[in-house]
Each structure stands twice: as structure tokens, then as C-alpha cells.
Amino acid sequence: MANDVARRLAISVQPVPKQDPEERKRNFEETYLGFDLNAARIEASRCIQCPSAPCQEACPVHNDIPGALALLEAGDILGAADKFRETSNLPEMCGRLCPQEKLCEGACVVGFAIRPGGKSEPPVTIGKLEAFCTDYQRQQLGGYPMPRYMPEPTGFKVAVIGSGPAGLAVAEQLADKGHSVTVYEYWPEPGGVLVYGIPNFKMRKNIVDEYIAHLEAMGVQFICNTYVGRDITIDELFRQGFHAVFIGTGAGVGNEMGIEGEDLEGVYTATEFLVRGNLAPEFLPERYRDPLPKMNDVVVIGGGDTSMDCVRTAVRLGAQNVTCVYRRTEAEMLGRAEERKNAREEGVRFEMLTLPTRILGDEQGRVRAVECQRMELGEPDESGRRRPIPVKGSEFIIPADAVVIAIGYGADPVVPQTTSGIRTDRKALIQVDEKGRTTRPGVFAGGDNVNGADLVVTALADGRRAAEAIHEYLMTLPAPRR
């Protein structure tokens, strides 16, 4: 056993091929090209199969990562994909979008094992292997794997509000138990943040399209262009015959800076900038269908993954100078280091310890520059990060013909405000118990509208947990008439 562990630890990490920066700046294709079979099997063989499996514990859906990698190493790629699917509805998406360095890979023993001569190696590249296995499976099967047997219909009807990760997980889990599921979506196409928040260069859209087709084949119905809370209320859904409702509306309300000039022409929310920059007009509401104007000097305010999506989109739209402005240092940034590296490779400039104080416009009301002030770090604030403090007399100007505000998101208050019996906090986050049950019987919730802006995988975990609770609840109700 000791010899086998030493052998595995001696295997070097396999590089994941990706497009050259100069090439990928000119397209919206996925940055990472992914492993080939030989490299994937070698990378999987770096897993030392430690009994405690801290990687599995660190995964919010507790994927059996050692089990999947053992199957992949042995050449059973379909078995490895199925192993990931045992606990995850969206493994090809999580493999691309999860911050593995903070989750499974961050807990991987291989990454901090002591080797002869003091040599160090990165952890096993779990996320890219997860994507490889499940991509391979879909290519072999011609789509997502269907259940071997579809259950008898129960007659129970469930409405799911929102088709992001939480809502899609609920829909699949409940359809797999024989319940009738209808998903209501605000945007013109289903997929929620997976379509309207994730740029193509991080995850190609056909992955989501195929998954939606898979759910439709399982009997799930999608009703789009519907704003629940305004076009229809939860109370009306119950009156229409639904037995339970899941709220998975996410956190899609962009935060504002609250500074002068935010109303100028050429100032965009992150969502508007991303959807207009990444999607064809027919996928968008009428107000977003005009293409973005040509821009040369783009300033993106914020330091998370959404801001990286925005700067990298700006590069692909042809901007010559793209600057990310962040009020702390890179050490305090919450987004993925991998995304910041990709952005730098593509020519994005970073202005750290910099706070925008106002946005300046010209005589026609169009943005022309951002006035900023240098900062220094003081004592930690409530987030645990050191608080930025202005440096007196350090003001300076960054020219800009477009400014994107990407400083985080909040929950939409409309659904809870228009539904009786649902308790929220002051940030409009819905209060639930450990199973996702709200304070109103028959109404469940999960994802970012409960937790605040978080990860695809945490929303997925919430959805799976809530689906179990919804099924338990339905089984306490009288059987519907057939």
C-alpha cells in the first residue's frame, strides 16, 4: 500500500490544454479544451484513494470522487460518469464552474503531501476530470442518460419557480419519482443563470440545452417569459391545482454603487452587459435586443467571478483597454484565481486598492471616465477581510466609454412580497428550515434566494435536499383523483 501511494504521488499533474490567449480573445468558444483519454486516466491515477476522502466531504453534494476516479483510471469512463451522477444532477456544469480549489481540490491530500526531496505537486484536477467523464458519456449516448425505468405518474403537480441550478435539480428529482413538474422562468429560454449568467467561454450553451431536452423527455414542462409574482402569483398556482411550489429564483438583482453618474448612458449592470454581449437577440427580452455599441475603454467595477466574466467579455467584444477596479487587494478577492489568470493572459489590467468615487459624463450624457481614489487596508470588517480606507489626495481618472457595475447580487423580493405566509429577512432572503421548507406549508425554497449569491453547486445541493422534502410532503396528502 505504501509503495502504491508513493508511486501515485510521484506522478506529475497533467496539464489541461486551453486555447492560446491571442486566439481565444477573438472567439467565444470554451477557454479550456479539456483532457484526452490518456491524460485523463493518468491524472485520475494520481488519486491516492485515501480512506477518509476529504475531497468528498468538501463537495457540497458529496460526490464519491475516489470511486469515480478509480473507475476512470481503470478505463470505465461511463461508470465514472454514472458515479458522479449518483449525487449530482449537473456534473458537467459543476466540473466547469465550481471553485474546486476551495472545495474538493482544496481538500485533496495529493496537493499537500510531502514527497522525497521536498517536491510538491498540485492536487488532482478533479473538476476537469468530472467534466471529461460526463462529456464523454453524453457523446457516446447522444445526450444525457435517461432513467432505466420511468415511474408511474403519482398525479401530484409541483410548480418550480426559476430554472437555475436549484430549480432544475428539483425538477429532475421529482420527475424521477413520478410527479408532474412545471417550471416557470422569467427569461425567454430555460436555464436561468446557467444560460443568462455564464459566458460561453466558460461553458458552452449546448450543455444546458441538452439538459433541458433531457428534462423535457422526462416529462418536465417549461413556461418561459413569466415573472412569478407579477404575471402570476404562488396563490394562483395553488388555485390552479399545484400541490407544492419550490422557489428557486436565485439572486439576480444587481447591487448599485450609489455614486454620481450611475445613470449615464454607457453604464451597465453586469447582467445586462453579459447577456447582450454573449447571447443572440432572440434569446433576450425586447429591451436587451440591441447589440452593445462599439467600446474601446471599458472599466469593470468589482472583484468576483462576475467581474471576470465581464472583463473577458469586453475583450472579446473588441475593447482595446479593459480595466478591473477593485477596492481591496487580490488576496481579498472572492472569485477564482484561475479566472483572474485567464483575464490577465487576455490583456486585462487590474487596479487594486482602488475605489470609484463617481462616474463622469460628457455634454451628451455619455460616460467618459471614472474618477477613483486609492485605498489602503485597515482592520478586518464583518466579512473577515481588511477594511479599505481612502488615501487622502490620491484621486485619479481612468478614461472609459463603458462602465460595468459587478459588485454582487441580491435576492428579488417580488415573490415573497406577493405570497402570504412566507417569512424573509431584511435582504429579502427566504427563511427555510434544514430541509428547505418555508414558513408556509407546501412552499419550499433553496439556492441563492435563501443563501444569498453563492455557488452553482450549493444551489444544486439545496435543490436536491428540497426535492426530498417535497416528495415527503406530497406523500402526506390525499392521493389526487386520476
Side-chain angles (χ1 to χ4, degrees):
M1 177 67 72
N3 288 338
D4 184 57
V5 170
R7 177 184 65 79
R8 291 173 180 272
L9 290 176
I11 302 171
S12 293
V13 65
Q14 300 299 292
V16 184
K18 62 180 182 179
Q19 290 192 69
D20 178 81
E22 290 304 313
E23 179 66 28
R24 68 181 190 248
K25 284 164 58 173
R26 297 192 290 271
N27 66 63
F28 279 83
E29 301 302 316
E30 284 191 4
T31 296
Y32 288 93
L33 304 175
F35 284 121
D36 60 27
L37 176 56
N38 183 59
R41 292 183 65 182
I42 294 172
E43 184 63 20
S45 71
R46 298 181 64 231
C47 174
I48 63 174
Q49 298 291 317
C50 42
S52 60
C55 56
Q56 184 172 356
E57 185 64 28
C59 173
V61 291
H62 303 304
N63 286 333
D64 180 2
I65 295 164
L69 298 192
L71 290 166
L72 173 56
E73 180 184 355
D76 185 0
I77 310 169
L78 299 184
D82 285 337
K83 182 62 67 176
F84 281 118
R85 293 193 196 281
E86 286 179 3
T87 47
S88 176
N89 304 75
L90 311 172
E92 40 274 284
M93 304 180 205
C94 289
R96 289 168 165 85
L97 304 176
C98 275
Q100 287 94 12
E101 68 279 3
K102 298 176 183 177
L103 299 173
C104 55
E105 292 177 19
C108 176
V109 174
V110 172
F112 49 84
I114 299 174
R115 297 168 173 82
K119 180 186 176 186
S120 64
E121 285 281 352
V124 178
T125 314
I126 298 168
K128 301 296 191 295
L129 292 177
E130 182 179 15
F132 168 80
C133 293
T134 49
D135 284 352
Y136 180 94
Q137 183 185 53
R138 292 192 341 277
Q139 290 164 4
Q140 294 297 305
L141 301 182
Y144 285 77
M146 287 289 290
R148 183 170 296 180
Y149 304 106
M150 287 303 295
E152 287 292 318
T154 64
F156 288 111
K157 295 171 58 181
V158 180
V160 173
I161 305 170
S163 61
L168 294 178
V170 168
E172 182 170 24
Q173 295 298 106
L174 293 180
D176 194 44
K177 294 182 183 297
H179 304 308
S180 173
V181 182
T182 302
V183 181
Y184 291 85
E185 173 55 53
Y186 162 78
W187 292 98
E189 297 289 331
V193 69
L194 298 169
V195 170
Y196 291 94
I198 305 298
N200 302 319
F201 50 80
K202 285 174 69 172
M203 183 178 72
R204 56 186 183 272
K205 296 291 186 284
N206 74 300
I207 294 174
V208 185
D209 295 341
E210 290 178 17
Y211 184 63
I212 298 299
H214 164 70
L215 294 184
E216 289 176 330
M218 292 179 66
V220 177
Q221 293 183 303
F222 291 89
I223 298 176
C224 296
N225 288 309
T226 302
Y227 193 162
V228 175
R230 292 183 182 170
D231 298 330
I232 189 171
T233 66
I234 287 178
D235 292 332
E236 289 170 333
L237 291 173
F238 279 116
R239 287 195 290 271
Q240 289 180 7
F242 286 99
H243 300 92
V245 174
F246 175 79
I247 307 171
T249 49
V253 179
N255 295 332
E256 296 180 350
M257 290 284 296
I259 60 176
E260 179 185 337
E262 279 189 90
D263 58 346
L264 289 168
E265 184 181 350
V267 178
Y268 305 95
T269 65
T271 295
E272 178 183 359
F273 188 78
L274 288 174
V275 299
R276 291 177 66 185
N278 282 277
L279 290 160
E282 60 268 23
F283 283 84
L284 301 176
E286 191 68 41
R287 69 183 185 280
Y288 287 157
R289 290 188 176 178
D290 289 339
L292 289 168
K294 180 174 174 54
M295 53 193 75
N296 291 312
D297 301 302
V298 179
V299 172
V300 176
I301 302 169
D305 284 336
T306 300
S307 63
M308 293 305 101
D309 295 343
C310 292
V311 294
R312 299 183 66 202
T313 295
V315 168
R316 285 158 176 77
L317 293 175
Q320 298 303 304
N321 302 296
V322 181
T323 305
C324 176
V325 175
Y326 182 59
R327 62 183 183 149
R328 290 183 168 98
T329 72
E330 187 162 357
E332 286 78 38
M333 279 184 157
L334 297 177
R336 303 187 70 182
E338 175 182 282
E339 287 302 305
R340 295 194 293 276
K341 178 182 178 182
N342 288 335
R344 283 194 172 91
E345 289 175 351
E346 293 164 11
V348 174
R349 184 167 66 99
F350 287 78
E351 286 284 358
M352 302 295 185
L353 288 171
T354 300
L355 178 71
T357 53
R358 60 177 176 152
I359 302 171
L360 307 177
D362 59 21
E363 294 178 354
Q364 286 73 45
R366 280 199 52 82
V367 63
R368 64 175 179 82
V370 180
E371 182 183 84
C372 300
Q373 187 173 27
R374 296 293 184 192
M375 312 294 285
E376 60 185 9
L377 295 182
E379 295 300 314
D381 61 15
E382 61 277 1
S383 72
R385 296 177 295 169
R386 294 173 65 191
R387 185 187 304 276
I389 301 170
V391 176
K392 191 173 294 186
S394 63
E395 294 80 4
F396 68 104
I397 300 291
I398 303 176
D401 54 14
V403 174
V404 184
I405 308 221
I407 57 170
Y409 288 92
D412 187 346
V414 170
V415 170
Q417 284 176 353
T418 57
T419 307
S420 59
I422 294 181
R423 187 176 301 148
T424 63
D425 67 11
R426 60 184 180 84
K427 295 182 179 179
L429 297 175
I430 299 171
Q431 297 185 8
V432 300
D433 66 9
E434 70 282 355
K435 292 188 175 182
R437 297 176 293 205
T438 72
T439 48
R440 175 171 173 173
V443 179
F444 302 76
D448 289 2
N449 55 311
V450 169
N451 308 315
D454 205 348
L455 307 174
V456 167
V457 70
T458 53
L460 168 63
D462 274 9
R464 291 177 65 89
R465 190 162 45 245
E468 286 298 317
I470 293 169
H471 176 68
E472 291 173 5
Y473 170 77
L474 294 175
M475 293 299 96
T476 68
L477 302 180
R481 291 182 181 178
R482 299 287 178 97

